[in-house]
Amino acid sequence: MKNLTLRQLRYVEALVRHSHFGRAADACAISQPALSMQIKELEEGLGLALFERGARQIRLTSFGTEFATRARDILRAVEALGDLAQAWQDQLVGPLRIGVIPTVAPYLLPTLVSNLARSHEGLDIHVRETVTPRLIQELIDGRLDTAIVALPVSEPSFNEVALFTESFVLVRPSEDEGKPVPDREMLSEMRLLLLEEGHCFRDQALAFCNAPSLRTRELLDGSSLSTLVQMVGAGIGVTLIPEMAVPMETRSAQVSITRFANPQPSRTIGMIWRKTSPLVKQLLEISKVVRDAADLLKLRHDQNTSDLQRRPAALHQPS
């Protein structure tokens, strides 16, 4: 049947509930003749009677009983959609599809997901970890709601919200501890280990290291920051990693961590989403949770670094 409307389904439900045209019409705030006409048009369109009309009462036909059950399910589903919309207006619930670049995901996600679970109990988080070009395309295609990437991405159809900035550090073999910090020119003469093509962090490291002067044979590619750090520990070369990655990636490697002189190389991490997204308010709220998670990670890292720096002095204090 064509042109079946939700209004007609509501009229059927009212008539089933009240078993009387007059009372059903009052409940629907229309006249009894108008209700009767709507039910008659619906039955004619279906080609089957829904109600058996008696002198004092009406009752559902066998087909009407089945139709009324299906109609009730449809109306309940429509009401549920309205409830869902209201819930999303008040707080973020349901599935949220977040994309994250690989040089952020392993370090930020454990804290972020834990914090989101506490602050948004109804949130069902789906994470996609991949390189920036793929995240951008999947965001454009509607397969992601938002993505955490290095800014800027300069995509006209996206909103960008900067969340935090972090420095890059130099990772050298442990025997290089205490040696002068290399500048860009010195780095261009070293064997530099970088992430493979497609990672934005590779491009950022090359930009800092004066890429035009680097010879191809001096560049060795790795699939992850963990691989690069382990290669450095084996004495193969040096690499750059974001500060966020230091606690996890260097705890089991024989390497030395060194900060560059100011201005230090750095990157800005932020969230992006489609300008047409209806979730702008909720995503701005999520961005605050991401920023808080990053701040907490940095605080923990700074505290651990401070403890390590104080520990040798404490060992030499008189008892």
Side-chain angles (χ1 to χ4, degrees):
M1 175 189 174
K2 296 181 180 179
N3 301 323
L4 180 65
T5 66
L6 290 175
R7 180 177 296 177
Q8 289 173 323
L9 298 185
R10 291 190 178 99
Y11 292 160
V12 170
E13 184 181 43
L15 197 50
V16 170
R17 185 167 62 250
H18 295 285
S19 300
H20 188 275
F21 275 95
R23 291 192 293 270
D26 290 340
C28 295
I30 62 172
S31 66
Q32 180 174 333
L35 177 63
S36 298
M37 183 179 297
Q38 287 289 330
I39 297 297
K40 182 178 180 181
E41 289 181 359
L42 176 58
E43 290 176 323
E44 289 176 351
L46 293 169
L48 292 165
L50 295 171
F51 296 94
E52 179 183 339
R53 295 158 174 83
R56 294 186 177 181
Q57 65 176 8
I58 61 172
R59 58 174 61 90
L60 286 166
T61 64
S62 296
F63 170 71
T65 300
E66 180 67 19
F67 183 91
T69 299
R70 301 286 184 91
R72 189 177 301 111
D73 291 340
I74 292 171
L75 292 174
R76 297 298 177 271
V78 171
E79 291 174 1
L81 288 175
D83 293 341
L84 177 63
Q86 182 61 47
W88 277 72
Q89 290 174 7
D90 298 336
Q91 60 179 334
L92 189 53
V93 297
L96 179 69
R97 302 163 299 174
I98 302 179
V100 191
I101 55 176
T103 54
V104 168
Y107 323 112
L108 181 63
L109 281 179
T111 301
L112 174 59
V113 171
S114 177
N115 289 355
L116 283 174
R118 286 196 300 269
S119 61
H120 298 80
E121 294 182 359
L123 198 61
D124 181 17
I125 304 171
H126 299 260
V127 175
R128 164 77 163 140
E129 178 186 343
T130 189
V131 294
T132 301
R134 292 176 186 168
L135 292 178
I136 290 175
Q137 188 59 53
E138 292 179 17
L139 198 54
I140 291 174
D141 294 341
R143 287 179 283 168
L144 292 174
D145 297 309
T146 185
I148 300 173
V149 298
L151 300 181
V153 296
S154 302
E155 170 56 51
S157 63
F158 290 168
N159 283 327
E160 298 184 6
V161 175
L163 300 177
F164 60 92
T165 299
E166 64 171 342
S167 300
F168 304 162
V169 298
L170 177 65
V171 184
R172 299 184 288 183
S174 57
E175 56 265 27
D176 289 349
E177 180 77 33
K179 289 185 178 180
V181 180
D183 57 20
R184 295 189 184 195
E185 294 302 321
M186 296 172 64
L187 278 176
S188 68
E189 300 299 324
M190 295 179 173
R191 175 171 286 182
L192 187 62
L193 312 180
L194 296 174
L195 291 173
E196 58 192 0
E197 293 283 353
H199 290 269
C200 59
F201 188 76
R202 173 191 176 92
D203 300 330
Q204 294 159 350
L206 284 172
F208 172 72
C209 296
N210 195 16
S213 65
L214 291 173
R215 294 186 292 274
T216 302
R217 68 178 181 81
E218 293 167 338
L219 297 176
L220 299 179
D221 293 345
S223 60
S224 68
L225 295 179
S226 178
T227 299
L228 297 182
V229 173
Q230 293 300 323
M231 292 169 69
V232 171
I236 296 176
V238 301
T239 192
L240 275 65
I241 65 173
E243 192 171 16
M244 181 184 295
V246 170
M248 181 180 296
E249 302 301 351
T250 63
R251 61 190 176 189
S252 62
Q254 298 298 313
V255 295
S256 168
I257 303 300
T258 305
R259 289 184 177 274
F260 291 98
N262 292 324
Q264 298 181 35
S266 64
R267 66 176 180 176
T268 298
I269 300 298
M271 277 178 58
I272 57 175
W273 57 79
R274 296 180 300 279
K275 290 181 177 179
T276 57
S277 173
L279 303 177
V280 172
K281 177 182 176 181
Q282 290 83 357
L283 292 174
L284 284 171
E285 185 177 342
I286 292 295
S287 72
K288 296 177 183 178
V289 182
V290 177
R291 185 183 290 112
D292 290 344
D295 289 344
L296 179 59
L297 286 178
K298 180 171 176 51
L299 177 62
R300 290 172 178 170
H301 175 57
D302 291 346
Q303 289 176 338
N304 290 338
T305 300
S306 178
D307 290 343
L308 288 174
Q309 291 172 343
R310 289 197 303 266
R311 191 171 300 167
L315 291 176
H316 289 87
Q317 290 178 355
S319 57

